[in-house]
Amino acid sequence: MAATIRDIKKRTGLSLATISKYLNGGNVLPENRILIEEAINELHYEVNELARGLVTHKTKTIGVLVYDIQCLFVGSMLHYLGMELHKKGYGMLICDSCNDEKLQKENLQFLLSRKVDGILVFAVGMHGKFLHAAKKANVPVVLVDRSFQDEEYDCVEVDNRTAIYRATNKLIENHHKKIAVIASNIEYTGRERVKGYSDAMNQAGLEIPKEYCKLGRHSFEHGYRGMKELLELEDRPTGVILGNYNTMLGGIMALNESGLSCPQDVSLIGVDNLPMTQVLRPKLWLIVQPMETMCEKAVAMLLERVNGEQNGMPVKISFSTSVREGDSIRDLG
Amino acid sequence: MAATIRDIKKRTGLSLATISKYLNGGNVLPENRILIEEAINELHYEVNELARGLVTHKTKTIGVLVYDIQCLFVGSMLHYLGMELHKKGYGMLICDSCNDEKLQKENLQFLLSRKVDGILVFAVGMHGKFLHAAKKANVPVVLVDRSFQDEEYDCVEVDNRTAIYRATNKLIENHHKKIAVIASNIEYTGRERVKGYSDAMNQAGLEIPKEYCKLGRHSFEHGYRGMKELLELEDRPTGVILGNYNTMLGGIMALNESGLSCPQDVSLIGVDNLPMTQVLRPKLWLIVQPMETMCEKAVAMLLERVNGEQNGMPVKISFSTSVREGDSIRDLG
């Protein structure tokens, strides 16, 4: 027979009101807190979070909408978000949008019907209209990694434009003139990165041949095909910027197969220091996002909204990226 | 002001009992169902799944315990499980055990406190004792991919021993004698696979030098280091079995860096036809698990238990694997 709140009353001698207040996260006197926690442990009392949710109007569950649960970057971010939410006593209800905006909208409805306390969004595309339903339901939202072109929400990202501007300049400093980019152009982050590339090239007075811009989906396949095409060009680039982690792995695989080598034939700079990067040779130059910090911040921002500690206008937080030095850039000077 | 069940009553002229029965998933007359659904749409009535959960004792939420959310195989399985659960109106509450048995146990408690209807488990290790708490709470469990050495639960997996027995024989048929394996030995599935390798080698009367068995964690790094060590052996193997997807990618990366090539210098056979496999050259021989079917079956088994349609003893379902032909095995005959 499972222990009830009345058993805790009997054991502690405290009122049901006090015990109930404790169970619902309210403040009780420290000595009462100790008594209650001892009783909970001894009696193996288990809180019914569901029943608690109806009383507190909180489910202690955060919805997470991801554009693609198979993406390596997303997997790592979920790892950090999960650890941070776990620390705070929250669970993650994860929905995979499979890179499909229609499914993303359905998933949002699903999360709202589950009365999640807040939602973290890795958005599929550039438009935020689908989130109006969350606004209407008063459920706070924090965007992670990708913001929108048309709507403002709390958002945690990196300064993507500056990041790739810096990557491009690293190649320019090493006297490269023929620089190509392989990146995503279907969402905000990818587009910002391409702008950073153009900014740096224009500023240095370098030409951008159309065939040096390989734009497409955020995927391994896009990186593989893009690199293959670049290496087959008659006037092939001496340096290539690999605009995201999946694309980077695909690009390296294509280079490995080509018989050409890095940095002798092609110099490379990529994004994100994830597990596979650490065993690649030559050691890659990388733009590194502070993934763990981004996740901590996203959770903190969301919980402030959930707990009503923050009611102001949306805030966008752009972390800076750092550069990890490697051996993948050849100095042509 | 949000619509209530009373607004639906007013609009449809039906009794609260009928409407409530519909909302809780009960059978109502088809004409009443149509009336209610029209009213729900017109009034933008949103079901409070939380309140419904307290009435029906169902949360329509399935807990998923994964050993490592960053693992590529796990990411793909979550993709298929998520789609299948979504179809049936269930959400996934995912907890990442970070390959840590202590965290896995805590995560289970967390899922139980959320009153999930059932739990899918990708187990960290070989022991099932931590699941006793789920049994006690009467929450059904289905293991996916990895079963236990010491306890029986419903389980969906592939016949791992036969799968790698078959992979090994594929190399033997092509007149290989010096065959190595890189695999995981920290969980049940990995160990079964190694047994399949030993079975085939013993049956063919082939020797297994100790240095040909690279056993360790289920990781990219293990594959990378294992392959590097194999290729540096004075008497290096002519064929290598790559025992899981992460290990396979690491092994291929090491081979690419070595200057040796496949299948001229080393023949390869791997496991799992996931996205990255499709762009690798030479085309790999692969043991293929029916991942989508496994996920459908796991969800079906779990929901049968959840809905009380199945109360029998635990059942283990082992799907057979298939072999995808490739160009990565050289005939030495």
Side-chain angles (χ1 to χ4, degrees):
Chain A
M1 185 62 196
T4 69
I5 190 169
R6 287 181 192 283
D7 298 319
I8 299 179
K9 176 181 188 303
K10 218 161 140 187
R11 163 86 56 146
T12 59
L14 297 171
S15 71
L16 284 181
T18 301
I19 299 165
S20 167
K21 196 172 173 194
Y22 167 85
L23 291 174
N24 292 323
N27 279 322
V28 298
L29 293 174
E31 57 267 34
N32 291 345
R33 170 177 297 269
I34 292 168
L35 276 175
I36 295 169
E37 289 179 353
E38 277 173 3
I40 286 177
N41 280 331
E42 283 163 21
L43 297 167
H44 302 289
Y45 175 79
E46 267 188 37
V47 178
N48 181 336
E49 290 283 351
L50 200 63
R52 167 145 98 179
L54 274 186
V55 176
T56 60
H57 300 291
K58 294 278 183 265
T59 54
K60 287 273 194 176
T61 301
I62 297 299
V64 190
L65 284 180
V66 300
Y67 50 84
D68 178 8
I69 203 168
Q70 297 187 79
C71 167
L72 303 161
F73 171 77
V74 168
S76 286
M77 292 295 274
L78 287 175
H79 169 74
Y80 293 123
L81 289 171
M83 293 211 298
E84 194 60 22
L85 286 168
H86 179 85
K87 266 191 233 162
K88 314 269 182 198
Y90 282 80
M92 288 197 290
L93 200 58
I94 301 179
C95 291
D96 181 5
S97 304
C98 306
N99 284 315
D100 176 341
E101 299 201 58
K102 195 168 155 270
L103 189 52
Q104 176 176 257
K105 197 174 169 181
E106 279 178 44
N107 283 337
L108 179 72
Q109 280 305 332
F110 176 86
L111 291 177
L112 293 176
S113 80
R114 294 314 158 94
K115 305 290 166 197
V116 293
D117 295 337
I119 304 178
L120 295 164
V121 178
F122 293 76
V124 170
M126 282 180 294
H127 305 294
K129 199 175 161 216
F130 74 100
L131 285 173
H132 290 186
K135 259 190 191 159
K136 218 176 130 196
N138 243 333
V139 175
V141 166
V142 173
L143 309 182
V144 188
D145 172 44
R146 295 179 175 180
S147 50
F148 298 124
Q149 201 173 43
D150 51 3
E151 307 232 351
E152 283 155 332
Y153 286 87
D154 282 344
C155 177
V156 175
E157 53 165 25
V158 293
D159 183 341
N160 286 294
R161 190 161 175 166
T162 306
I164 298 302
Y165 174 83
R166 190 179 293 150
T168 314
N169 270 341
K170 189 54 69 186
L171 288 165
I172 295 173
E173 281 164 25
N174 282 282
H175 308 93
H176 287 258
K177 289 183 165 47
K178 297 194 277 181
I179 301 171
V181 69
I182 310 179
S184 151
N185 68 341
I186 57 154
E187 33 71 36
Y188 191 81
T189 288
R191 293 203 172 196
E192 283 295 299
R193 291 182 182 178
V194 176
K195 279 183 201 155
Y197 160 76
S198 310
D199 289 350
M201 293 295 276
N202 291 336
Q203 194 180 303
L206 295 173
E207 202 195 334
I208 306 181
K210 208 173 121 232
E211 62 272 25
Y212 277 19
C213 274
K214 297 292 174 194
L215 306 181
R217 301 194 70 81
H218 177 115
S219 70
F220 182 83
E221 289 78 5
H222 174 59
Y224 181 82
R225 298 226 175 79
M227 180 64 88
K228 231 173 136 66
E229 287 167 18
L230 287 175
L231 298 180
E232 284 165 1
L233 288 175
E234 204 150 315
D235 192 23
R236 73 166 192 252
T238 61
V240 179
I241 296 152
L242 298 158
N244 61 62
Y245 187 72
N246 284 16
T247 291
M248 176 168 78
L249 291 179
I252 290 169
M253 205 61 85
L255 178 65
N256 282 342
E257 287 176 27
S258 70
L260 296 173
S261 67
C262 168
Q264 289 73 27
D265 305 300
V266 186
S267 294
L268 296 179
I269 183 162
V271 178
D272 289 337
N273 196 9
L274 288 168
M276 292 203 195
T277 322
Q278 292 161 36
V279 290
L280 294 178
R281 299 287 170 282
K283 198 179 162 195
L284 281 176
W285 278 86
L286 290 175
I287 299 296
V288 180
Q289 306 189 58
M291 295 174 59
E292 196 167 349
T293 311
M294 289 167 76
C295 291
E296 283 167 13
K297 188 67 198 175
V299 167
M301 278 174 93
L302 187 62
L303 295 187
E304 276 174 14
R305 296 276 185 192
V306 167
N307 299 325
E309 295 153 23
Q310 174 58 261
N311 298 301
M313 297 292 286
V315 178
K316 188 191 275 195
I317 301 202
S318 279
F319 285 98
S320 355
T321 49
S322 56
V323 177
R324 191 197 76 168
E325 299 200 6
D327 310 311
S328 63
I329 298 181
R330 183 177 161 202
D331 191 344
L332 300 181
Chain B
M1 187 60 199
T4 69
I5 188 167
R6 286 179 194 282
D7 298 318
I8 299 179
K9 176 181 187 303
K10 218 160 139 190
R11 163 87 54 148
T12 59
L14 297 170
S15 71
L16 284 181
T18 302
I19 299 164
S20 168
K21 196 171 173 195
Y22 168 86
L23 291 174
N24 293 323
N27 280 323
V28 298
L29 293 174
E31 58 267 34
N32 291 344
R33 170 176 297 269
I34 292 167
L35 277 175
I36 296 169
E37 288 178 354
E38 276 173 4
I40 285 177
N41 280 330
E42 283 163 22
L43 297 168
H44 301 290
Y45 174 79
E46 266 188 39
V47 179
N48 181 337
E49 290 283 351
L50 199 63
R52 168 145 96 178
L54 275 186
V55 176
T56 60
H57 300 290
K58 294 279 183 262
T59 54
K60 286 274 192 178
T61 302
I62 297 299
V64 189
L65 283 180
V66 300
Y67 51 83
D68 177 10
I69 203 168
Q70 298 187 79
C71 167
L72 302 161
F73 172 77
V74 168
S76 286
M77 292 294 274
L78 287 175
H79 169 74
Y80 293 123
L81 289 171
M83 292 211 299
E84 194 60 22
L85 286 168
H86 178 85
K87 267 192 234 160
K88 314 269 183 198
Y90 283 79
M92 287 196 289
L93 199 58
I94 302 178
C95 292
D96 181 6
S97 304
C98 306
N99 285 315
D100 176 341
E101 299 201 58
K102 195 167 155 272
L103 189 52
Q104 176 176 259
K105 198 174 167 179
E106 279 177 46
N107 283 337
L108 178 72
Q109 281 305 334
F110 177 86
L111 291 177
L112 293 177
S113 79
R114 294 317 158 92
K115 305 290 165 196
V116 293
D117 295 338
I119 304 179
L120 296 165
V121 178
F122 293 77
V124 170
M126 280 179 295
H127 305 294
K129 200 176 160 214
F130 74 99
L131 285 173
H132 290 187
K135 260 189 191 160
K136 219 177 130 195
N138 242 334
V139 175
V141 166
V142 173
L143 308 182
V144 189
D145 172 45
R146 295 179 176 181
S147 50
F148 299 123
Q149 201 173 43
D150 51 2
E151 307 232 353
E152 283 155 331
Y153 286 86
D154 282 345
C155 178
V156 175
E157 51 165 26
V158 294
D159 183 342
N160 286 292
R161 190 160 174 167
T162 305
I164 299 301
Y165 174 83
R166 190 178 292 150
T168 314
N169 271 341
K170 190 54 69 185
L171 288 165
I172 295 172
E173 282 164 23
N174 282 281
H175 308 93
H176 287 258
K177 290 184 165 41
K178 298 195 275 180
I179 302 172
V181 69
I182 310 179
S184 151
N185 68 341
I186 58 154
E187 32 72 36
Y188 191 82
T189 288
R191 292 203 170 195
E192 284 295 299
R193 292 182 182 177
V194 176
K195 280 184 200 156
Y197 161 76
S198 310
D199 289 351
M201 293 295 277
N202 291 335
Q203 194 179 301
L206 296 173
E207 202 196 335
I208 307 181
K210 211 174 121 232
E211 62 273 24
Y212 277 18
C213 273
K214 297 291 175 196
L215 307 180
R217 302 193 69 80
H218 177 115
S219 70
F220 182 84
E221 289 78 5
H222 174 60
Y224 181 83
R225 298 223 177 81
M227 180 63 88
K228 231 173 136 68
E229 287 166 19
L230 287 174
L231 297 180
E232 282 164 3
L233 287 175
E234 205 151 313
D235 192 22
R236 76 166 189 253
T238 61
V240 180
I241 297 152
L242 298 158
N244 61 63
Y245 187 72
N246 284 16
T247 291
M248 176 168 77
L249 291 178
I252 290 169
M253 205 62 86
L255 178 66
N256 282 341
E257 286 176 28
S258 71
L260 296 172
S261 68
C262 168
Q264 290 73 30
D265 304 300
V266 186
S267 293
L268 296 179
I269 184 162
V271 178
D272 289 337
N273 196 8
L274 288 168
M276 291 202 197
T277 322
Q278 291 162 37
V279 291
L280 294 178
R281 298 286 170 281
K283 197 177 163 197
L284 281 176
W285 279 86
L286 290 174
I287 299 295
V288 180
Q289 306 190 60
M291 295 174 60
E292 196 167 351
T293 311
M294 289 168 75
C295 290
E296 283 168 12
K297 188 68 198 175
V299 167
M301 278 174 91
L302 188 62
L303 295 188
E304 276 175 14
R305 295 277 186 192
V306 166
N307 298 326
E309 295 153 22
Q310 174 59 259
N311 297 301
M313 297 292 287
V315 179
K316 188 191 274 194
I317 300 202
S318 277
F319 285 98
S320 357
T321 51
S322 55
V323 177
R324 191 197 75 168
E325 299 201 6
D327 310 310
S328 62
I329 298 182
R330 184 176 158 203
D331 190 343
L332 300 181

